[in-house]
Amino acid sequence: MRPMRLSLRFRDRWPALALALGAVALALAYHLLFADLPPPSALVARAAPAATRITDRQGRVLAEVLDPRQGRRTRVALGDLPPHVVNAVLAVEDAGFRTHPGVDVRSIARAVVQSIVAHEIQSGASTITQQLARDVLMSPEEREQRTLLRKAREMLLALRVERAYDKDTLLEVYLNEVYFGQMAYGIEAAAQTYFGVPARDLDLAQAALLAGLIQAPAAYNPLVAPEAARARQGEVLALMVKNGMVSADEVRLAEGEALQFTGGTPAFRAPHFTVYVRNLLEERYGADLVNGGGLQVTTTLDLDLQEMAEATARRYVAQLSENRPNEPDHHVGGAAVVALDPATGQILDMVGSPDYWQPRDGAVNVALAQRQPGSAIKVVTYAAAFAHGLTPATVINDVPTSFQTQEHEPYLPRNYDQVWHGPLTLRRALATSSNMVAVKVLDRIGIDAFKETAHALGLYGFDDHQGLALTLGAGEVRLLDLTAAYATFAAEGVRRPPNAILEVRDAEGQVLERWEPTEGVQAVSPQVAYLITDILADDGARIGAFGEESALHLSRPAAAKTGTTTDFRDNWTVGYTPELVVGVWVGNPDGTPMVRSSGITGAGPIWHDIMEAALRGQPVHAFRQPLGIVTAQICEASGLLVTPLCQRQRQEIFIAGAEPHEMDDSYVALDIDEPTGLLAAPGCAGPTVQRVFRRMPAEAQDWADEESLTPLPTRSCAETLVSPGATSANPPAQWNKTTASNVEISGAPLTIVTPALNAEYALTSELPAASQRIEIHARLSENVPASRVTLLVDGQPLATLDAPPYRALWQLTPGAHTVQAQAVDGQGQRIASAESHFTVRTEVPWAH
């Protein structure tokens, strides 16, 4: 019976033994898991980090990034900070800081539920004390872990820290340690970096913006992402109201304050680009590794091109802002430039402002800001149109037209030159930046087609509620993204996203990332891209809007487009050659309007000079025409195939299958009773002559009447009413030579190509007078063996030419003018064209 008594005695003692064993196990686990936690007294201990070096593509140093916590910090006492600075941080980071013991049980429970649902850690629910324990006391390797063990160690360390220090001490340490981006650790460094003021002078709006940076400094950096920073500032202010820290009236004042930013950090080269790269690195690797990991970063930047672009932007902004006799101050304070290699997407330069160190907004990188693009976005509309069957020869009437908005309100677009131009081919409409035609094209293809093409090109700042105004720049884009979209056209429709980094190595030389060439994505077809390029490179097509040899004209083939927004708040020029794309924005970072500064006068000269300087000495390359492009001789009045009657024709390009097959019907030949100018009929006095008239579309008839264009005759000399479309004669099989006595017969073998009959041009004080010229161009039938052609303006010889092309430039002069061409053929017979009438007006605001 004795063994039984021993067994019962052991069972009686088992609970105590198990408890003892459990205690030993817990002690052992605690020792293994938590014994190596650093002591709270190590709260400010640091190890000297290695510097991260950022270089351009040739290895020239742009910046060396040192951990600002090593000797570049100005500490500030908690009592020296305004209450709204402390409250802003508490509201957004830890509203219960004053009451919890170092961890917030409710927040932890909420985070656990979120993590269980998502099957991964979603939220750390970290208090300010936990952030201090993690960011200051833990090693960089442990900080990067997202495990429950690391979280448990963090919480235990936070509880220890709370027992060692009072709340004010912890809050003061936190405010002097937390990272705000831009190499700024601590509230004092952040105040100086972003606003150039001491922390004690921060107002509510500034404090809320800085507090919002703590959670994600790279994402909310106001110098790189001003819209995101402003939205985050609003969230902080809302939390302050929720927690009773400020009133609604105070918030309204703070939200209405226009913040002014400063660079605030030690000088470095290509500052906007370097900050951009630093933010990319922080997003990918974390601030600790960037600040103290000794990374070696090779970027895509060409420092020579960068510094040239910076100097060019500074020079032109200074010129636009200086007071000159008889010229207004254009009130231009900013410019931004981006250059890309279209074959790779590599960023070759990025200028965010003329002077990064300028105290007022100089550090704001407008190349990354959302701004309205004006007419520079029209390429998206036309690319979508060409993909949906329209062609450069499609004719649309540039006449007053009203559209219905989604709110059932009338929408009447206006052209920037305040002039209607009648029927226009899409080539001329895009080249001269007709607003009305662009809206009609968008109305025809639909907003969904526009957005689909925009998204393929990497542009996303568009909403349906903006309606047809999207094609005039109602949405918003970044200069970097718009330049990349144009790079897609330069690369034959292949999109390659902008890239800033070639290689990143760690402190031991191991490659963390390296850029590799990619095939890219075919965003638009090569044929559509070529149509856009051919139009944007057509100096002749845009001469009527921008003048001859404007800022868009280079010494080599180049495609370019300008844009100007309402009230001159933004103006743009984006253009390219096969090997380089440059985008330029000019305006004021705070969005205030400029004075009479358009894309052609503001951004255009900067673009021109940068392109010429960057490509100087390089081989000249033409844009490659892809397979699937065909040509046809078309009549510009209709976009259809030419007949002998057509008075203005050109060779046009088409995507194969979209070329016209119908003959032009916009010109008709009629027998006219010469004494009366009416249709010839039996019994009229005669003689009868044949004249050619242009048949206007019904939609453009009012425009033609207002322009006093010669209408199609509707009555005969016998006062017999006939149909407006009737013809009393067919086009003649061949044209006979005429003499000086009947030079009024139009449709003769010698015709005026430009200017068009009753064309209207406008002078402006914003362009040099010498550049405001138009082309006088005559065409002679191939079967006429002429020896010499003379061009006359207002009866005075302009030029005498012995061989085609018969064209010359004429300086615009206000008033009504006539153009005529006269020729002498090989037999000495004289030939003359009909006269073409046009008008030149003065002082029209140019904004394209």
Side-chain angles (χ1 to χ4, degrees):
M1 299 297 294
R2 182 171 295 179
M4 179 63 70
R5 289 198 300 271
L6 288 173
S7 176
L8 291 173
R9 190 178 303 161
F10 178 80
R11 284 167 31 188
D12 291 341
R13 294 177 179 177
W14 169 245
L17 180 60
L19 187 61
L21 289 173
V24 171
L26 287 174
L28 180 60
Y30 178 87
H31 178 78
L32 292 175
L33 299 178
F34 302 109
D36 63 337
L37 284 174
S41 59
L43 201 60
V44 294
R46 293 287 181 272
T52 289
R53 297 174 78 243
I54 300 176
T55 71
D56 84 333
R57 63 191 306 115
Q58 297 178 0
R60 292 173 288 189
V61 176
L62 303 177
E64 288 195 352
V65 181
L66 294 171
D67 191 333
R69 291 177 290 191
Q70 298 299 312
R72 289 215 309 241
R73 170 194 281 102
T74 301
R75 304 193 67 84
V76 60
L78 186 66
D80 292 337
L81 294 173
H84 54 258
V85 172
V86 177
N87 287 336
V89 174
L90 290 177
V92 73
E93 291 299 317
D94 189 357
F97 173 75
R98 294 289 184 184
T99 58
H100 64 61
V103 296
D104 188 333
V105 177
R106 285 182 299 179
S107 295
I108 292 173
R110 183 171 59 250
V112 169
V113 172
Q114 292 173 348
S115 299
I116 291 174
V117 172
H119 302 293
E120 63 177 359
I121 295 178
Q122 291 288 299
S123 171
S126 295
T127 64
I128 282 177
T129 314
Q130 287 176 254
Q131 292 180 51
L132 273 176
R134 179 185 65 241
D135 296 339
V136 178
L137 297 178
M138 286 183 169
S139 68
E141 293 76 19
E142 186 171 12
R143 283 199 295 269
E144 295 300 320
Q145 297 174 9
R146 294 178 62 85
T147 65
L148 291 175
L149 175 59
R150 197 274 290 164
K151 197 66 183 176
R153 287 166 57 84
E154 173 191 302
M155 289 189 290
L156 181 58
L157 192 53
L159 292 172
R160 286 184 177 182
V161 167
E162 283 271 355
R163 288 198 301 269
Y165 300 96
D166 62 64
K167 290 286 188 179
D168 284 349
T169 299
L170 291 177
L171 188 55
E172 181 175 307
V173 172
Y174 179 80
L175 288 169
N176 282 286
E177 294 291 339
V178 68
Y179 183 55
F180 289 90
Q182 287 291 110
M183 299 175 277
Y185 281 82
I187 189 65
E188 181 68 20
Q192 296 286 356
T193 295
Y194 290 101
F195 300 113
V197 300
R200 65 175 180 272
D201 292 337
L202 290 170
D203 63 22
L204 176 59
Q206 295 168 328
L209 186 137
L210 293 181
L213 294 175
I214 297 173
Q215 187 179 94
Y220 299 128
N221 187 335
L223 308 182
V224 176
E227 290 82 11
R230 196 71 176 181
R232 179 64 171 166
Q233 178 201 43
E235 294 173 4
V236 175
L237 291 169
L239 287 171
M240 294 181 74
V241 172
K242 178 181 177 181
N243 288 283
M245 297 171 174
V246 293
S247 67
D249 289 339
E250 289 175 304
V251 166
R252 278 193 291 272
L253 290 174
E255 290 178 334
E257 181 179 337
L259 298 178
Q260 306 296 329
F261 299 101
T262 179
T265 54
F268 47 96
R269 306 173 88 174
H272 291 100
F273 177 79
T274 303
V275 170
Y276 172 66
V277 168
R278 181 187 172 87
N279 275 274
L280 292 177
L281 294 171
E282 289 183 5
E283 289 175 354
R284 297 175 190 178
Y285 303 107
D288 290 317
L289 187 59
V290 174
N291 288 331
L295 301 180
Q296 305 300 303
V297 183
T298 304
T299 70
T300 60
L301 190 84
D302 181 331
L303 186 58
D304 293 330
L305 177 59
Q306 171 74 24
E307 293 181 342
M308 180 271 291
E310 290 174 353
T312 303
R314 282 195 298 270
R315 183 174 73 253
Y316 275 104
V317 168
Q319 291 179 9
L320 289 168
S321 298
E322 68 184 9
N323 292 318
R324 296 183 178 182
N326 303 319
E327 289 190 17
D329 177 354
H330 292 285
H331 187 59
V332 175
V337 182
V338 169
L340 300 174
D341 179 350
T344 63
Q346 293 176 6
I347 301 173
L348 302 178
D349 83 51
M350 177 186 286
V351 180
S353 74
D355 183 5
Y356 182 87
W357 310 107
Q358 198 270 339
R360 180 184 170 91
D361 296 327
V364 175
N365 189 347
V366 187
L368 303 177
Q370 298 282 351
R371 308 297 294 239
Q372 289 193 336
S375 293
I377 203 65
K378 288 175 182 172
V379 293
V380 176
T381 302
Y382 284 85
F386 295 152
H388 284 75
L390 276 67
T391 76
T394 299
V395 173
I396 292 182
N397 296 305
D398 183 14
V399 296
T401 307
S402 181
F403 303 86
Q404 287 293 316
T405 67
Q406 294 178 348
E407 294 76 23
H408 304 291
E409 296 291 333
Y411 172 50
L412 178 61
R414 301 288 300 179
N415 289 330
Y416 276 121
D417 60 5
Q418 304 300 313
V419 175
W420 303 113
H421 303 279
L424 287 178
T425 63
L426 295 195
R427 172 177 292 274
R428 291 195 178 274
L430 175 56
T432 59
S433 204
S434 164
N435 283 350
M436 179 58 76
V437 172
V439 171
K440 287 187 174 182
V441 170
L442 180 56
D443 187 50
R444 182 178 297 191
I445 65 173
I447 291 176
D448 287 343
F450 172 94
K451 291 173 63 178
E452 180 182 353
T453 302
H455 294 170
L457 294 169
L459 303 172
Y460 294 93
F462 310 104
D463 297 320
D464 289 340
H465 76 271
Q466 293 159 338
L468 297 177
L470 280 173
T471 190
L472 305 184
E476 291 185 335
V477 298
R478 302 191 308 172
L479 176 62
L480 176 62
D481 298 330
L482 186 61
T483 305
Y486 275 70
T488 302
F489 297 119
E492 301 182 10
V494 176
R495 179 176 182 267
R496 297 177 177 88
N499 177 58
I501 298 174
L502 290 177
E503 183 181 82
V504 179
R505 292 178 179 266
D506 64 16
E508 286 72 42
Q510 297 297 314
V511 175
L512 301 181
E513 68 173 273
R514 177 179 289 155
W515 176 84
E516 298 291 344
T518 63
E519 294 183 357
V521 177
Q522 195 74 50
V524 297
S525 73
Q527 295 77 26
V528 167
Y530 185 74
L531 295 186
I532 294 292
T533 295
D534 191 67
I535 294 173
L536 297 187
D538 190 343
D539 285 322
R542 62 172 168 247
I543 195 171
F546 299 104
E548 187 264 336
E549 293 188 358
S550 70
L552 304 186
H553 177 77
L554 299 185
S555 58
R556 62 179 66 215
K561 183 73 183 75
T562 64
T564 305
T565 60
T566 304
D567 297 331
F568 300 106
R569 294 180 185 275
D570 308 88
N571 64 66
W572 310 69
T573 297
V574 189
Y576 52 92
T577 64
E579 54 276 304
L580 180 66
V581 185
V582 172
V584 178
W585 170 90
V586 167
N588 293 299
D590 61 3
T592 56
M594 296 171 286
V595 177
R596 294 174 64 91
S597 178
S598 67
I600 194 64
T601 62
I606 299 176
W607 176 85
H608 176 277
D609 285 11
I610 291 174
M611 291 290 288
E612 289 285 12
L615 297 171
R616 187 174 295 120
Q618 296 189 24
V620 175
H621 296 115
F623 294 106
R624 191 183 74 85
Q625 179 175 305
L627 297 175
I629 295 291
V630 299
T631 61
Q633 197 74 14
I634 58 104
C635 187
E636 286 209 37
S638 63
L640 303 177
L641 298 176
V642 297
T643 69
L645 299 177
C646 179
Q647 295 186 349
R648 183 168 180 167
Q649 56 184 276
R650 66 168 284 118
Q651 184 170 278
E652 188 55 271
I653 61 173
F654 301 87
I655 298 175
E659 67 273 20
H661 299 284
E662 301 84 9
M663 304 302 291
D664 171 65
D665 60 356
S666 60
Y667 289 96
V668 293
L670 303 177
D671 289 335
I672 299 298
D673 179 60
E674 187 175 34
T676 63
L678 301 175
L679 290 170
C684 292
T688 296
V689 296
Q690 193 172 69
R691 295 180 183 170
V692 175
F693 296 87
R694 181 175 176 181
R695 192 202 316 263
M696 280 290 168
E699 184 187 14
Q701 192 58 58
D702 289 344
W703 170 82
D705 293 342
E706 291 179 3
E707 296 294 318
S708 300
L709 301 186
T710 303
L712 208 66
T714 59
R715 302 182 69 83
S716 74
C717 55
E719 295 298 315
T720 301
L721 186 65
V722 298
S723 168
T727 61
S728 58
N730 294 321
Q734 64 180 13
W735 294 100
N736 298 318
K737 298 182 180 65
T738 60
T739 66
S741 63
N742 61 357
V743 296
E744 74 277 6
I745 299 178
S746 70
L750 181 61
T751 58
I752 298 296
V753 178
T754 56
L757 184 64
N758 295 316
E760 191 170 280
Y761 298 90
L763 283 165
T764 175
S765 60
E766 297 180 15
L767 291 175
S771 70
Q772 299 187 63
R773 294 186 285 173
I774 62 170
E775 182 182 74
I776 308 298
H777 182 193
R779 177 179 288 113
L780 189 66
S781 176
E782 294 181 357
N783 61 359
V784 178
S787 60
R788 178 170 301 179
V789 171
T790 299
L791 304 176
L792 302 98
V793 179
D794 299 332
Q796 300 299 312
L798 173 65
T800 299
L801 306 148
D802 294 327
Y806 303 110
R807 59 180 65 177
L809 295 173
W810 177 76
Q811 180 98 29
L812 290 177
T813 303
H817 305 279
T818 60
V819 175
Q820 189 181 45
Q822 297 179 357
V824 178
D825 70 8
Q827 287 75 42
Q829 299 186 70
R830 295 178 59 199
I831 305 171
S833 72
E835 289 185 345
S836 181
H837 303 272
F838 68 98
T839 305
V840 178
R841 297 190 294 108
T842 59
E843 290 303 318
V844 169
W846 291 61
H848 298 273

